[in-house]
Amino acid sequence: MKIVVDAMGGDNGSKIVVDALVEFKKENPSVDIVVVGDENELSSLKDICEVVPSQSQVPMDAKALDVMRMKDSSMLIALNKTVEEDADAVVTCGSTGGFLSASTLMLKLIPGVKRAAFVAPFPTAIKGKKVVILDVGANNENTSDELYQFGYMGRAYCQAVYGIEEPNVFLLNNGTEEGKGSPAVKEAYTLFKKSEFPGFMGNIEARTVLNGLADVVVCDGFSGNTLLKGTEGTASLIMNEFKKILRKNWWTKIGYIHIRKGVKELRETLDYKSVGGAMLLGINKVAVKAHGNSDAHTFLCALDVAKKLAENDVVTKIKEGLGVHEPEQ
Amino acid sequence: MKIVVDAMGGDNGSKIVVDALVEFKKENPSVDIVVVGDENELSSLKDICEVVPSQSQVPMDAKALDVMRMKDSSMLIALNKTVEEDADAVVTCGSTGGFLSASTLMLKLIPGVKRAAFVAPFPTAIKGKKVVILDVGANNENTSDELYQFGYMGRAYCQAVYGIEEPNVFLLNNGTEEGKGSPAVKEAYTLFKKSEFPGFMGNIEARTVLNGLADVVVCDGFSGNTLLKGTEGTASLIMNEFKKILRKNWWTKIGYIHIRKGVKELRETLDYKSVGGAMLLGINKVAVKAHGNSDAHTFLCALDVAKKLAENDVVTKIKEGLGVHEPEQ
C-alpha cells in the first residue's frame, strides 16, 4: 500500500504531519509513504518516507479555478504523484476548496458518478457509534440522482470503515412522512424506494440524526454543511456554558472535581478532531481532507482512516454499488 | 386589542390553554380574547373570554389540501373569527402544516409578499440574547427574492419583539466569503448588497449563528428546519450525556449538588418551550403557532409574543419595509 501525503497548508505547519508520520510508520511499517513539502522541514522523514520537495502551497482561500495553475504547490505535486505512482490514497490538511477541485480534476470521478461528496462521521448518543453524513459541503446544491448516488457512497464508507455489512440509510428531510421535502429530496425518496435500495429506511429529521439509530444520512451539500456546522456550534455553545457553570465559585469547582472525568470523555466524544477528517467520496482514489487546524493526533487519525478505506477498497465498493443498482427513471 | 385562540389540537389538551388564558387575562385585563374549542372544556372561561364552540379539530398530520374542508374545526373557526372580527392576532398549538396553509389562505399574504415564513428565536452564547432565524420550515425551498423578503420580515420581528431598532441581518451560507453558496443564496446576497439593505452584514456559517453577534439570520425553509432541529438534537444529546455523568456514582451526585442551579439555568436557556412558539410572518395578521406539546407556561409565552407583535404592529412594519425597499433586479 502507498499513501501520498501533502505536508503543507495546515494551520499548524508541517511539524504535526512529521510527528504523525513517524507514529504512523511505527505502527504500519509496510505502508509506503510519499510526503510532499518543504524539503528542510521534512528532512527528518528521509529515512522512513520518500520526501518530494515542493516550492509553494495552495492558500486556504484559493479559488477553484486558480488551484490548477499552482503546479509547484505541495497539493498539486501530491495529487500528481498519486496518479503517476498509482498510489492508494492521498491525505492533506490544506485548502478544502482547493483539494476538492484539484482532486476531482486530477484523480477524476468514478465513471458514472455525477458529483463527489464530502463524508463526515458524527458522534451519536450511543457510545462509540458514529453516523456517517454526506454530503457535508462538496456541493452547493444537489439533484435527486446525486443524492441517490450518495446513498451508495455512504453505504460503502460504512462497510469499509466500520465493518457494518448492511448499514441502514436515511434521507435528511424536514419531516419523516413520505411526500415531505424539497422537489429534489422527494424525487430522491422515490429513487431509493423504487430501486429497493439496500437498507433504505426513509426520511429522518435533523433532530434525530444523532440518536444513534442511523448508520448513513444522505443530504445535499448545503444542508449537510448547515448540519455539520450547526452541530459544532451548538456543542461548543453548551460546553462553554458548562465551563462557566463549573468555574463559578468554590462549591462548583468542588463539584467539577467529581465529574471532570465524565466531562473530559464527553468532550472527546464531541471532538470532531478525533475522527481525523472528511473523506472525498466518488473519485478514483481514497482522498482524505484532514481538518485545517489538525494536530499530530488528528492527522494520525486521518492517515488511519485513509489506510482503512484503501485496505477495504472503498472505491471498488462504490463502483460495485453504482454498477449493480443504477437509478431507474 | 383582540386575540383569537384555538384551544384544541395540542398534545396536552385544552386544559393548558385554559390555565394560560386565566393567567394572561389577569395580567392583561384589557385584551379581548375569543377562544374556540369544546364548549364543556372551556366553560370555566366564560366570564373572562368570548367562548366559541367547535365540533372537531384539525389532526396533527393533516394534509394541506384537506384542512380547508374541515370547516367545523376549532382552527378554521378561529381563523374565520380573526377575519370577521378583524382581530389583531391568532394563536394555536394545533397542526403546523394545517395552520400554515389555512392561515395563508384565510388571512392572506401581505400584498407583494411571495411566501410566508416561520420565524423562531434561538438561544445564544450571550445571556438573554436571542437570534431570530427564518424561515425554519414554512417552505421546502426558496428563491432569492423570497430570501430577500425574509430579511425585512426578520428585521420587523426583531424591532417589534426585542426593541432592537437597527438589527443586523446575516445570510446563512456554507462560507463567509462573498460568492459562496447555492445559486439562490448567491443571488440573495447580491440583492441585499445592491439594495443597501439596512444592517446587512453578509454571510454567516451555521457554526457561529448562536454566538450572539447576529440579530437576524435569513435562510431557506429546508436549511432553517435542519438548523432548528439539528440544534435541538445536539442540545438534547449533550444534556442527556451530562445527566448520565452526573448520576454515575455517589461522588458525581455530590458534584451535581454544587452545580445543579447552573445546570437548571442552562436547561432553561436551551429550552425552546420558553420562547412560546414560531410566528408565521408575511401574512396580514399576527399568527403564532405554539409548540404542539406546549404546557400552560409555554402557551402563555405564545400569547405574550402575539400581544407584543400586535402592539408593535409587526405587520405594518413588514409592509413598510417591503414597500420602501422592493428588490432591484
Side-chain angles (χ1 to χ4, degrees):
Chain A
M1 185 185 303
K2 184 180 277 183
I3 300 179
V4 179
V5 176
D6 166 18
M8 314 303 284
D11 299 345
N12 302 316
S14 62
K15 175 80 171 67
I16 62 113
V17 177
V18 172
D19 293 348
L21 281 173
V22 169
E23 196 59 32
F24 184 80
K25 280 296 284 188
K26 255 187 228 161
E27 289 163 22
N28 307 278
S30 67
V31 177
D32 291 333
I33 300 285
V34 179
V35 57
V36 187
D38 183 288
E39 222 176 343
N40 293 327
E41 294 179 21
L42 305 180
S43 59
S44 65
L45 291 173
K46 276 188 176 146
D47 293 338
I48 52 170
C49 308
E50 181 190 337
V51 176
V52 178
S54 68
Q55 309 308 321
S56 68
Q57 59 191 55
V58 172
M60 269 296 169
D61 57 351
K63 292 256 181 303
L65 294 171
D66 300 336
V67 177
M68 296 309 290
R69 279 185 230 122
M70 302 175 184
K71 296 214 184 297
D72 61 357
S73 66
S74 57
M75 191 184 282
L76 263 72
I77 295 174
L79 285 165
N80 249 330
K81 277 275 164 196
T82 310
V83 177
E84 277 170 17
E85 308 198 1
D86 194 20
D88 300 280
V90 55
V91 182
T92 183
C93 54
S95 155
T96 307
F99 190 59
L100 173 61
S101 47
S103 57
T104 309
L105 284 166
M106 294 171 73
L107 307 177
K108 306 261 189 284
L109 289 171
I110 291 170
V113 164
K114 291 162 202 289
R115 292 293 192 99
F118 271 122
V119 60
F122 284 53
T124 74
I126 297 174
K127 209 180 159 115
K129 156 114 193 185
K130 303 273 187 219
V131 55
V132 165
I133 305 186
L134 76 167
D135 172 32
V136 294
N139 302 281
N140 287 315
E141 53 176 2
N142 291 104
T143 65
S144 53
D145 288 358
E146 290 157 15
L147 292 173
Y148 180 80
Q149 291 194 336
F150 293 169
Y152 278 106
M153 298 182 192
R155 180 176 148 85
Y157 183 97
C158 228
Q159 291 170 328
V161 178
Y162 301 118
I164 301 172
E165 269 184 46
E166 289 299 334
N168 59 43
V169 176
F170 287 85
L171 190 59
L172 183 72
N173 209 336
N174 52 12
T176 53
E177 309 91 325
E178 193 171 342
K180 279 274 181 182
S182 65
V185 171
K186 274 190 217 176
E187 279 170 40
Y189 185 98
T190 309
L191 290 175
F192 278 112
K193 193 97 187 239
K194 263 196 178 169
S195 67
E196 295 180 13
F197 186 98
F200 180 61
M201 307 291 282
N203 295 321
I204 192 167
E205 290 185 290
R207 189 184 284 130
T208 46
V209 156
L210 305 184
N211 71 3
L213 294 182
D215 296 317
V216 177
V217 174
V218 166
C219 55
D220 70 276
F222 196 95
S223 306
N225 198 261
T226 300
L227 187 57
L228 174 75
K229 291 175 181 166
T231 298
E232 266 179 48
T234 308
S236 129
L237 167 76
I238 299 178
M239 295 308 277
N240 285 335
E241 289 303 313
F242 261 104
K243 216 189 273 174
K244 281 187 218 160
I245 292 171
L246 294 169
R247 286 183 181 168
K248 203 166 180 185
N249 58 39
W250 259 95
W251 290 110
T252 63
K253 281 178 190 164
I254 291 170
Y256 179 56
I257 293 170
H258 298 301
I259 60 164
R260 71 181 156 196
K261 193 168 155 263
V263 174
K264 188 166 167 274
E265 276 173 21
L266 177 57
R267 210 177 267 280
E268 281 165 8
T269 305
L270 295 171
D271 185 9
Y272 63 90
K273 281 190 181 173
S274 67
V275 298
M279 180 171 154
L280 192 59
L281 291 177
I283 56 174
N284 280 303
K285 295 283 177 194
V286 168
V288 176
K289 165 69 186 79
H291 291 283
N293 65 350
S294 288
D295 53 25
H297 171 70
T298 319
F299 202 83
L300 182 61
C301 294
L303 291 167
D304 283 334
V305 166
K307 185 191 141 221
K308 228 177 211 174
L309 289 166
E311 250 170 22
N312 290 286
D313 211 357
V314 73
V315 174
T316 305
K317 283 209 174 79
I318 292 173
K319 280 181 188 166
E320 283 170 4
L322 291 172
V324 179
H325 304 269
E326 285 287 54
E328 293 169 348
Q329 284 184 317
Chain B
M1 184 186 303
K2 184 180 279 185
I3 301 179
V4 179
V5 175
D6 166 17
M8 314 304 283
D11 300 346
N12 302 317
S14 62
K15 174 82 172 69
I16 63 114
V17 176
V18 172
D19 292 348
L21 281 174
V22 169
E23 196 58 32
F24 184 79
K25 280 295 284 188
K26 254 188 230 161
E27 289 163 22
N28 306 278
S30 67
V31 177
D32 290 333
I33 300 284
V34 179
V35 57
V36 186
D38 183 288
E39 221 177 343
N40 293 328
E41 294 179 21
L42 304 180
S43 58
S44 65
L45 291 174
K46 275 186 180 152
D47 292 338
I48 52 170
C49 307
E50 180 191 341
V51 176
V52 178
S54 69
Q55 308 308 322
S56 68
Q57 59 191 55
V58 172
M60 268 296 170
D61 57 351
K63 293 257 181 301
L65 293 172
D66 300 335
V67 176
M68 295 309 290
R69 279 185 230 122
M70 302 174 184
K71 297 217 184 294
D72 61 357
S73 66
S74 56
M75 191 184 281
L76 262 71
I77 294 175
L79 286 165
N80 249 330
K81 278 274 164 196
T82 310
V83 177
E84 277 171 17
E85 307 198 0
D86 194 21
D88 299 282
V90 56
V91 181
T92 182
C93 53
S95 156
T96 307
F99 190 59
L100 173 61
S101 46
S103 56
T104 308
L105 284 165
M106 293 172 72
L107 307 177
K108 307 263 189 283
L109 290 171
I110 292 170
V113 165
K114 292 162 201 290
R115 292 294 193 99
F118 271 122
V119 59
F122 284 54
T124 74
I126 297 174
K127 208 178 159 114
K129 155 114 192 186
K130 303 272 188 218
V131 54
V132 165
I133 305 187
L134 77 166
D135 172 32
V136 294
N139 302 281
N140 287 314
E141 54 176 2
N142 291 103
T143 65
S144 54
D145 287 357
E146 289 158 16
L147 292 173
Y148 179 80
Q149 291 193 336
F150 293 170
Y152 278 105
M153 298 182 193
R155 180 176 148 85
Y157 182 97
C158 229
Q159 290 170 329
V161 178
Y162 302 118
I164 301 174
E165 268 184 46
E166 289 299 334
N168 59 44
V169 176
F170 287 85
L171 190 60
L172 183 72
N173 208 336
N174 52 12
T176 53
E177 309 90 325
E178 192 172 342
K180 280 273 181 182
S182 65
V185 171
K186 274 190 217 175
E187 278 170 39
Y189 185 98
T190 309
L191 290 176
F192 279 112
K193 193 94 187 240
K194 264 196 178 169
S195 67
E196 296 179 11
F197 185 98
F200 180 61
M201 306 292 281
N203 294 321
I204 193 168
E205 290 184 289
R207 188 184 285 129
T208 45
V209 156
L210 305 185
N211 71 4
L213 294 181
D215 295 317
V216 177
V217 173
V218 166
C219 55
D220 70 276
F222 196 95
S223 306
N225 197 261
T226 300
L227 187 58
L228 174 76
K229 291 175 180 167
T231 298
E232 266 179 49
T234 308
S236 131
L237 168 77
I238 300 178
M239 295 309 277
N240 285 336
E241 289 303 313
F242 260 103
K243 216 189 272 173
K244 283 186 217 160
I245 292 171
L246 294 170
R247 287 182 180 170
K248 203 167 180 184
N249 57 39
W250 259 95
W251 289 110
T252 62
K253 282 177 191 166
I254 291 171
Y256 179 55
I257 293 169
H258 297 303
I259 61 165
R260 70 181 156 194
K261 192 167 154 263
V263 173
K264 188 165 166 274
E265 275 173 22
L266 177 57
R267 211 176 266 280
E268 281 165 8
T269 305
L270 296 171
D271 185 8
Y272 64 89
K273 281 191 182 171
S274 67
V275 298
M279 180 173 156
L280 192 58
L281 290 178
I283 56 176
N284 280 305
K285 295 283 177 194
V286 169
V288 176
K289 165 67 187 79
H291 291 284
N293 64 351
S294 288
D295 54 24
H297 171 69
T298 321
F299 202 82
L300 182 61
C301 294
L303 291 167
D304 282 334
V305 167
K307 184 190 140 220
K308 228 178 212 175
L309 288 166
E311 251 172 20
N312 290 286
D313 210 357
V314 73
V315 175
T316 305
K317 283 209 173 77
I318 292 174
K319 280 182 189 167
E320 282 170 3
L322 291 171
V324 180
H325 303 271
E326 286 288 53
E328 293 169 349
Q329 284 187 317

